[in-house]
Amino acid sequence: MDDFEERYKDAVEAGQRNLRAAKLVSNWCFHAEINRSGGRGLIEAETGLPIGHMGLQCKYSKKNSMHAWLLEDAAYDFYLNNCKNCIERTAVGTPNMMEFIAPREEEAKARRLEREADDAKREAERNSRKEKRALLRDGLALAVTSRVIVDPLPEEFGPLTLPVLEGVDGCSGLQG
């Protein structure tokens, strides 16, 4: 019974978050519409809360929205794919969905900056290793470097010979 009560509580909390998110979405833009996946559960019928998978649509949107259990997640996806640079947006009021979008955008920016810093650090380490190898290579004698680059074949292979190539129309090819 504890599992049912826990799931019931989670569904009600999701419904409360979705209700708040729906209000924020409706304040974001006059053209934004919430659409739902089919079906209505018992908890939703009992509480009147919007519980279930939802997404957004708009007559100006270029991409479809994903549907998510939490409307915030679907709204963020829709914002990234459609609203971020939309010139048709007609603001309705405040507060709006930027309350949950702005923190996500800041987190994404922080992750991007961290990734760029890591990339720069790895590039600097790679360049440092490359410079160390170049200094070591310059310090070696030419004969040693040549031997490292082109090792002779072992004696068991015998002298190097080129194969005889038969040419076309009686012309002979290379001979070793």
Side-chain angles (χ1 to χ4, degrees):
M1 201 57 143
D2 291 331
D3 187 44
F4 172 77
E5 290 172 3
E6 184 70 29
R7 295 179 84 188
Y8 181 90
K9 181 181 154 217
D10 290 345
V12 168
E13 287 175 6
Q16 290 169 338
R17 285 180 70 177
N18 288 340
L19 186 64
R20 181 176 180 278
K23 177 64 178 163
L24 296 175
V25 166
S26 67
N27 281 344
W28 171 252
C29 180
F30 176 76
H31 305 291
E33 298 174 16
I34 298 171
N35 56 18
R36 308 244 351 224
S37 293
R40 187 172 172 166
L42 292 173
I43 301 172
E44 183 175 5
E46 180 183 316
T47 61
L49 294 170
I51 300 170
H53 289 85
M54 292 175 262
L56 295 178
Q57 64 186 21
C58 165
K59 64 182 179 181
Y60 299 107
S61 64
K62 295 179 180 127
K63 295 184 180 179
N64 292 331
S65 169
M66 70 174 196
H67 282 216
W69 181 251
L70 293 176
L71 184 56
E72 295 172 7
D73 296 337
Y76 183 61
D77 175 70
F78 190 79
Y79 169 80
L80 290 176
N81 291 314
N82 298 290
C83 298
K84 195 168 188 173
N85 298 314
C86 180
I87 59 172
E88 303 295 335
R89 178 173 171 248
T90 305
V92 176
T94 55
N96 58 42
M97 69 181 194
M98 285 309 287
E99 285 195 6
F100 58 81
I101 295 214
R104 291 178 184 213
E105 287 286 281
E106 290 170 11
E107 289 171 7
K109 182 179 179 181
R111 283 191 306 271
R112 186 178 62 251
L113 291 174
E114 183 179 336
R115 191 173 47 248
E116 288 171 358
D118 287 346
D119 290 347
K121 180 182 175 188
R122 278 194 299 277
E123 183 67 24
E125 290 170 348
R126 192 172 19 256
N127 288 337
S128 172
R129 288 191 305 271
K130 190 186 263 186
E131 288 173 9
K132 287 178 185 176
R133 284 192 300 271
L135 288 173
L136 287 172
R137 198 175 306 119
D138 290 342
L140 293 175
L142 181 60
V144 173
T145 358
S146 299
R147 180 170 168 86
V148 170
I149 294 172
V150 181
D151 282 334
L153 288 173
E155 289 181 21
E156 62 195 47
F157 286 102
L160 181 62
T161 58
L162 296 173
V164 174
L165 300 176
E166 294 297 327
V168 181
D169 297 330
C171 297
S172 61
L174 298 172
Q175 293 186 357

